[in-house]
Amino acid sequence: MKPGPLFLALLLLAPGRVEAQGQGPARRFALVAGNNAGGADTRPLLYATVDAQKIHTVLTELGGVEPQDAALLLDRSATDFLAALDDLEKRVAAAARQGQRTSLIVYYSGHAKEGALRLGETRLDLEALKQRLSARSPADVRIGIFDACRSGVVNRTKGARRGPGFEILADGAQDARGLVLLTSSSADEDSQESDALAGSYFSHHLASGLRGSADRSGDRRVTLSEAYEYAYARTVAETADTAAGAQHPTFDYDLKGNGNLVLAELGNRREGLYLPAAAPAGVYYLVEAGRGVVSAEVLKTAGADRVIALSAGRYQVKRRLPDRLRLGQIEVPRGRLVTLDEASLRDAPFADDPVKGARADLASSRFGLGVGAGFQSFFDAPTRASLFPPTALVSAELQLRHFFRRDWVWALDLAAGSTRATLSRDALGVQLAYQFSEVDAGTSLLAEWPLAGGRLVPHLGARFAFLYLQRRFEGDAAGIPAQHLYTFSPGLVAGLSYRLGLGFSLTARSRVHYLLYNVDENRSLGYWELAGALTHDL
Amino acid sequence: MKRAQLLAIASTAAAAVTLAACGNYSNEDIDFQLSVPKTEELSTRLPFSASAAPDTAEYYRATREVGSAFNRFVVDVTSLMDSVRVTRPSARTGDERIWGPFVDRGDRSWEVRLRMSRDPASPDPAFRYAFEFHRAGPPGSPWQQLLGGTFGLYRDHGEMILDLTDARASGYPVDGFRDLARLTLRYERRHTPIELTMMVENVDDGTNPGASYRYLENADGSGELAFVSRRASARLTLEVRSRWNPGGAGRADARIGESTAPTGNPRGIDCWAADGHASYVLREYGMRREEGSAAACVFGPP
């Protein structure tokens, strides 16, 4: 779930050759922005920039926006946003002077709070932006898309409708002019992110819809109405069971002219995936290979074929069944449609989910329990010889994942070990045999960076431990009373985990610690540990 | 509370408690503890442990009794030091260790402690110690010494002086020591023969001033125990010197006389075989008596 407000508004596309049937060609411009950071009083989002990249790609591939007419801003400031908007509007004005019809799409995914878009530590007043798009933008048609929490507030005063779809009726005028706003949620709802989709629900389904999933009529064009209906239905359905509750996109428009606006033109594009009628029904996810990002999602019904427009490249195909996944790989050559062969898919456990983030959700629960063994040794030789000998340890660890923030792990560990050693007291000319024992109880806070789709997880963090060290003398020295040391020790941890599947992970870890010894004298000591552990998700 | 604040507080607390180590994990303490002599290292070991039967040599039995008395004195002294070996120091400051204060088990109105110190600039003696007592309760009650002395490293030599003068004057309970006023025990174990000497001074009541002892032990088990006991009331001095070989056979020479004229005093001689039975007896005091042959003695005259 996206903790901060996401704000999605759809700006009405002016009818042009691409947008509306029977209209002359229009030139489209797009400002696409995504900000994961929303300021100190918000939690960082995970997928806002990914959302923006998806929308940018769809608009430039299928939405009729030339790459040079599209500005993509990722984690930039409000000043940068307004500067990019200024630049695009100048170019819109120049195109208009040349007799071209123009449309401007403004998309934002990120935090919004207290009536402002949150671009990092900067603010962009939402009402002011709306007024600019409504009254002062030179484009014939303006479409605003805001994917942010409580984004519906932008439509509240305009009597926005919270509904599954709409039709913009033509009033006879050929040249549409006006403003359309779409938001990802209503004024009192959160907009949510999904780890399983590696994106925001609304933006994901909007992008999928534009790639063909929303082509209800089958005419190889996705209109604004189709795209919104599809995104609305999928968003409501998938958020209904989330902790934050159902999320209802909203729309509003002030448009005159031919309103059946085409947002995506699929007919001229021959790159993508074809699902034949015989392919099993279900939801298919197309995941960019290597990035773990869902490019498109398509609901295929039995007996119907579907086409999804995709950029050339390699994708993993995933279909989710109640007890397993069906996975496969395809390569979409440039300018060609690839037909999915069901026989090329294989059954796989949920742990093998290729979606970035989904593996973290599906393959691992919030808790993990591990057992392991390791070796501990102090850095300097005199300490090893006279105080704390090198020791093998066995350990157990409880992990709480996504604690404090995503990909942070809070771990509690307990270790114990023992060894025999000899203490030389040269001044006395004696060798004293003793049994050294140690018990450690530690707590760690680790940051993880899942790689390779989450199968390899390096981590780095800090640890704080309580140590109980003891030695009991033996033989001729048995009369010497046992000695103990209780102390705390801070340290650093680095390691690498490899997910074996079925909820198991193998971890190799190293630690370095500081210890203050202050009995005979104050000495700052350091020790290192190397350990391996087998962890299972609870 | 925000998570960031929670993390900051936890980090600060962690930094603070890092410096809170505690325990008795000390190599220096071991040096102190290993240098305190054990009772058995300061005790006499006389030939064969079987109790002297009535038919064993008289002076042999007397030697055993003297040796037992010697060992009891040693226990009186070393028992005060046992706390060093079996407990951890209560305080450590540089080259000094303190055990206690502990409540005196015999009288809870008193506290006792043991202080040991080491002077690295003067390795011999390695340690100085003092067993002290004071009144429990009153703040600032001064500590007085009961037992003091020096130890060498790893118990190889030292001196222990038990002085009951201040203890009796202050009321500290020392009834178990009877008439003892001062006891000085010295030991030398750095070479053979091992030598233990003890000077016992009793309270000056004009009756029994005290005694002195000297014990030698060779590596092969042979040894010697000499003691001089003085009786002020009778102005008598009793000197006994016992010697034995590794097999246990031995000879004791005794002289009894006025303390002012030790030479020419009447003698007594016992020689005994390895089983303790007398092989030669000579008495020159009281009714003169001579039994057996002096040639049977394993040792000649001292």
Side-chain angles (χ1 to χ4, degrees):
Chain A
M1 181 188 91
K2 191 180 293 187
L6 289 183
F7 198 65
L8 176 67
L10 177 64
L11 196 65
L12 176 66
L13 288 169
R17 174 167 299 167
V18 177
E19 296 97 352
Q21 300 166 4
Q23 291 282 320
R27 186 170 169 188
R28 285 186 177 175
F29 298 84
L31 172 57
V32 179
N35 277 66
N36 285 330
D41 57 340
T42 63
R43 284 186 66 186
L45 300 172
L46 297 175
Y47 305 115
T49 54
V50 173
D51 293 339
Q53 288 172 321
K54 279 185 194 176
I55 297 298
H56 177 269
T57 301
V58 167
L59 291 178
T60 53
E61 288 183 355
L62 305 171
V65 180
E66 295 297 328
Q68 64 270 20
D69 292 334
L72 175 63
L73 305 178
L74 302 179
D75 285 327
R76 304 284 288 274
S77 68
T79 302
D80 295 334
F81 186 98
L82 292 174
L85 186 58
D86 286 342
D87 178 70
L88 285 173
E89 288 180 337
K90 287 176 185 172
R91 298 168 68 186
V92 167
R97 287 193 294 273
Q98 293 174 358
Q100 290 181 295
R101 289 193 50 77
T102 58
S103 61
L104 175 63
I105 304 168
V106 174
Y107 169 90
Y108 171 81
S109 178
H111 278 293
K113 197 171 181 181
E114 296 165 350
L117 304 182
R118 295 292 193 92
L119 294 89
E121 295 294 336
T122 62
R123 307 284 186 267
L124 182 61
D125 186 80
L126 188 55
E127 186 62 30
L129 176 61
K130 192 174 69 172
Q131 288 300 320
R132 176 170 177 165
L133 294 174
S134 176
R136 301 197 306 272
S137 176
D140 295 307
V141 178
R142 288 83 62 197
I143 301 174
I145 305 174
F146 295 102
D147 193 338
C149 280
R150 296 173 176 79
S151 50
V153 70
V154 76
N155 287 334
R156 182 181 290 162
T157 56
K158 292 175 64 81
R161 279 138 287 190
R162 171 179 163 171
F166 60 91
E167 287 292 338
I168 302 175
L169 301 178
D171 63 359
Q174 290 292 320
D175 297 335
R177 293 191 61 84
L179 172 67
V180 172
L181 297 173
L182 287 185
T183 71
S184 59
S185 59
S186 61
D188 57 351
E189 291 176 339
D190 290 332
S191 289
Q192 305 171 48
E193 292 184 315
S194 168
D195 290 321
L197 301 175
S200 304
Y201 284 100
F202 186 81
S203 291
H204 163 77
H205 292 303
L206 181 66
S208 293
L210 292 174
R211 288 195 174 277
S213 299
D215 183 16
R216 187 183 58 213
S217 63
D219 63 354
R220 305 288 295 143
R221 288 175 167 177
V222 179
T223 66
L224 173 62
S225 301
E226 288 176 322
Y228 177 78
E229 282 180 35
Y230 177 83
Y232 179 93
R234 299 295 298 146
T235 299
V236 170
E238 293 201 354
T239 58
D241 294 331
T242 64
Q247 174 183 330
H248 299 84
T250 71
F251 67 90
D252 191 33
Y253 62 90
D254 182 7
L255 182 68
K256 295 179 174 52
N258 190 333
N260 196 9
L261 304 172
V262 175
L263 282 184
E265 186 72 58
L266 308 177
N268 295 330
R269 189 175 179 84
R270 307 307 301 176
E271 283 173 1
L273 176 67
Y274 172 68
L275 296 172
V283 178
Y284 289 77
Y285 298 87
L286 288 310
V287 184
E288 287 186 44
R291 288 188 63 205
V293 175
V294 180
S295 290
E297 172 187 329
V298 56
L299 174 62
K300 184 194 177 300
T301 55
D305 61 354
R306 299 304 302 268
V307 174
I308 296 295
L310 296 170
S311 304
R314 291 175 53 243
Y315 296 86
Q316 289 172 294
V317 180
K318 178 181 85 171
R319 191 172 84 251
R320 190 180 177 89
L321 299 177
D323 59 345
R324 65 189 187 280
L325 301 175
R326 292 279 292 169
L327 298 180
Q329 292 206 4
I330 62 171
E331 180 143 9
V332 178
R334 192 167 295 282
R336 289 190 47 198
L337 269 180
V338 173
T339 300
L340 179 67
D341 180 7
E342 175 65 21
S344 67
L345 302 183
R346 62 177 175 84
D347 290 337
F350 292 122
D352 290 349
D353 195 313
V355 176
K356 186 186 82 168
R359 181 168 299 172
D361 271 356
L362 300 174
S364 69
S365 69
R366 288 200 70 191
F367 293 93
L369 184 65
V371 292
F375 187 78
Q376 178 196 89
S377 179
F378 280 75
F379 285 110
D380 63 303
T383 301
R384 294 195 301 269
S386 66
L387 284 177
F388 311 117
T391 310
L393 301 169
V394 292
S395 61
E397 183 177 82
L398 177 67
Q399 296 177 345
L400 175 59
R401 301 192 183 92
H402 311 309
F403 188 77
F404 285 120
R405 57 179 296 176
R406 182 170 183 78
D407 288 334
W408 282 31
V409 177
W410 180 28
L412 301 172
D413 64 86
L414 186 67
S418 182
T419 188
R420 277 202 163 80
T422 301
L423 172 66
S424 295
R425 299 306 294 160
D426 295 335
L428 302 178
V430 297
Q431 304 276 328
L432 306 173
Y434 65 94
Q435 181 79 34
F436 173 78
S437 305
E438 176 178 342
V439 175
D440 294 349
T443 182
S444 306
L445 191 59
L446 309 171
E448 296 183 326
W449 292 273
L451 303 174
R455 190 168 287 276
L456 274 179
V457 186
H459 56 266
L460 192 64
R463 180 172 180 262
F464 192 72
F466 171 77
L467 278 70
Y468 170 71
L469 309 167
Q470 177 195 74
R471 59 183 176 186
R472 290 188 176 275
F473 293 92
E474 302 174 331
D476 293 340
I480 301 174
Q483 297 186 332
H484 319 271
L485 182 71
Y486 309 83
T487 186
F488 292 93
S489 171
L492 299 174
V493 183
L496 180 66
S497 294
Y498 178 75
R499 294 206 177 275
L500 301 172
L502 300 178
F504 285 95
S505 298
L506 205 58
T507 300
R509 179 178 298 140
S510 65
R511 295 175 180 149
V512 287
H513 269 261
Y514 167 83
L515 183 147
L516 175 66
Y517 172 79
N518 62 355
V519 181
D520 288 337
E521 58 182 337
N522 284 340
R523 290 171 60 184
S524 290
L525 305 177
Y527 66 88
W528 56 268
E529 292 180 1
L530 290 177
L534 181 67
T535 305
H536 186 260
D537 301 330
L538 299 178
Chain B
M1 180 182 292
K2 292 185 177 179
R3 290 190 175 103
Q5 289 176 321
L6 184 63
L7 268 179
I9 292 172
S11 301
T12 303
V17 299
T18 295
L19 302 177
C22 63
N24 68 332
Y25 205 104
S26 167
N27 292 332
E28 302 284 321
D29 287 359
I30 293 173
D31 293 347
F32 281 78
Q33 289 162 334
L34 288 180
S35 295
V36 175
K38 298 180 181 178
T39 300
E40 58 267 28
E41 293 173 338
L42 303 182
S43 300
T44 61
R45 277 182 287 275
L46 298 181
F48 51 90
S49 60
S51 58
D55 58 347
T56 54
E58 177 188 356
Y59 285 0
Y60 166 74
R61 295 199 301 275
T63 300
R64 290 184 59 84
E65 288 170 7
V66 170
S68 296
F70 183 99
N71 293 342
R72 285 194 294 273
F73 280 124
V74 168
V75 170
D76 287 344
V77 172
T78 58
S79 61
L80 299 176
M81 305 294 295
D82 283 343
S83 59
V84 175
R85 277 192 298 273
V86 300
T87 60
R88 67 186 74 171
S90 307
R92 298 181 188 80
T93 50
D95 288 309
E96 183 176 79
R97 300 288 187 274
I98 296 177
W99 283 259
F102 307 113
V103 174
D104 190 299
R105 281 175 286 183
D107 186 337
R108 301 185 67 82
S109 65
W110 296 89
E111 286 182 334
V112 297
R113 72 178 185 184
L114 177 66
R115 285 191 303 114
M116 282 182 69
S117 62
R118 179 173 56 186
D119 181 4
S122 176
D124 189 15
F127 298 96
R128 295 187 181 278
Y129 69 94
F131 187 90
E132 299 172 335
F133 62 94
H134 80 163
R135 283 281 183 188
S141 174
W143 290 94
Q144 295 174 279
Q145 183 170 308
L146 181 66
L147 172 69
T150 60
F151 297 144
L153 278 177
Y154 204 42
R155 313 191 294 271
D156 57 5
H157 70 288
E159 177 182 81
M160 306 174 86
I161 301 174
L162 176 68
D163 192 328
L164 303 178
T165 305
D166 290 342
R168 286 201 171 90
S170 61
Y172 181 70
V174 291
D175 294 342
F177 292 103
R178 299 184 295 279
D179 298 330
L180 182 65
R182 181 182 173 92
L183 185 152
T184 302
L185 173 64
R186 295 188 176 90
Y187 59 97
E188 177 58 70
R189 302 173 59 85
R190 287 176 286 188
H191 48 70
T192 54
I194 294 170
E195 181 176 357
L196 307 177
T197 61
M198 182 185 296
M199 179 73 71
V200 175
E201 299 169 57
N202 290 326
V203 172
D204 187 7
D205 62 357
T207 58
N208 182 7
S212 62
Y213 305 81
R214 181 168 180 259
Y215 170 81
L216 298 174
E217 180 182 312
N218 294 305
D220 61 2
S222 63
E224 177 178 324
L225 177 60
F227 68 91
V228 178
S229 176
R230 295 176 294 280
R231 292 277 176 177
S233 59
R235 299 175 61 193
L236 287 177
T237 298
L238 172 64
E239 298 177 45
V240 180
R241 182 184 177 195
S242 298
R243 293 169 286 168
W244 57 88
N245 66 13
R251 171 179 175 144
D253 292 84
R255 284 189 181 279
I256 301 173
E258 291 184 358
S259 57
T260 59
T263 59
N265 288 335
R267 298 180 301 164
I269 299 174
D270 269 4
C271 296
W272 59 85
D275 60 0
H277 287 98
S279 57
Y280 175 71
V281 176
L282 172 66
R283 297 288 184 271
E284 292 182 345
Y285 51 84
M287 183 179 294
R288 190 181 187 285
R289 179 163 65 96
E290 187 170 11
E291 300 170 9
S293 167
C297 296
V298 296
F299 292 97

